[in-house]
């Protein structure tokens, strides 16, 4: 896999994982069925997916380049905020759009 493919695979994975906690409101970590999740559980699950994405990025970089570049705190801050931006559609769906749809159908 070349570097271009690895980057697009990572971006697609990050977008999907950032939105899973908000789209699947009755599932915890995809497999555990729960009645309803609070915002704190959603944010904890979201942050766990951020860590999983970081581990996946580390593995991809190691496989495609043969080594992993050393990063400072700025890199991790930027990736955290990018992950927040990727999660925006799922967050809006869960906390704004879903309630708006229920209100209009009632």
């Amino acid at each position: 896999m070349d570097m271009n493919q690895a980057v697009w695979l990572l971006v697609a994975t990050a977008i999907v994982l950032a939105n899973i906690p908000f789209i699947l409101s009755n599932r915890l970590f995809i497999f555990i069925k729960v009645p309803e999740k609070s915002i704190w559980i959603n944010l904890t699950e979201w942050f766990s997916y951020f860590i999983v994405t970081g581990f996946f990025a580390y593995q991809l970089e190691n496989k495609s380049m043969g080594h992993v570049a050393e990063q400072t705190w700025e890199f991790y801050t930027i990736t955290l905020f990018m992950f927040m931006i990727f999660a925006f559609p799922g967050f809006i769906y869960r906390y704004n759009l879903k309630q708006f749809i229920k209100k209009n159908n009632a």
Side-chain angles (χ1 to χ4, degrees), residues 56-75:
F56 182 62
Y58 181 87
Q59 294 299 326
L60 269 178
E61 185 175 3
N62 193 20
K63 182 171 173 48
S64 63
M65 290 178 46
H67 71 283
V68 178
E70 199 170 315
Q71 304 297 340
T72 58
W73 68 270
E74 293 96 344
F75 172 80

Side-chain angles (χ1 to χ4, degrees), residues 37-69:
K37 294 188 299 188
S38 70
I39 190 167
W40 298 111
I41 293 173
N42 275 339
L43 291 176
T44 303
E45 184 181 7
W46 173 83
F47 189 73
S48 300
Y49 285 135
F50 171 68
I51 292 172
V52 167
T53 305
F55 180 72
F56 182 62
Y58 181 87
Q59 294 299 326
L60 269 178
E61 185 175 3
N62 193 20
K63 182 171 173 48
S64 63
M65 290 178 46
H67 71 283
V68 178

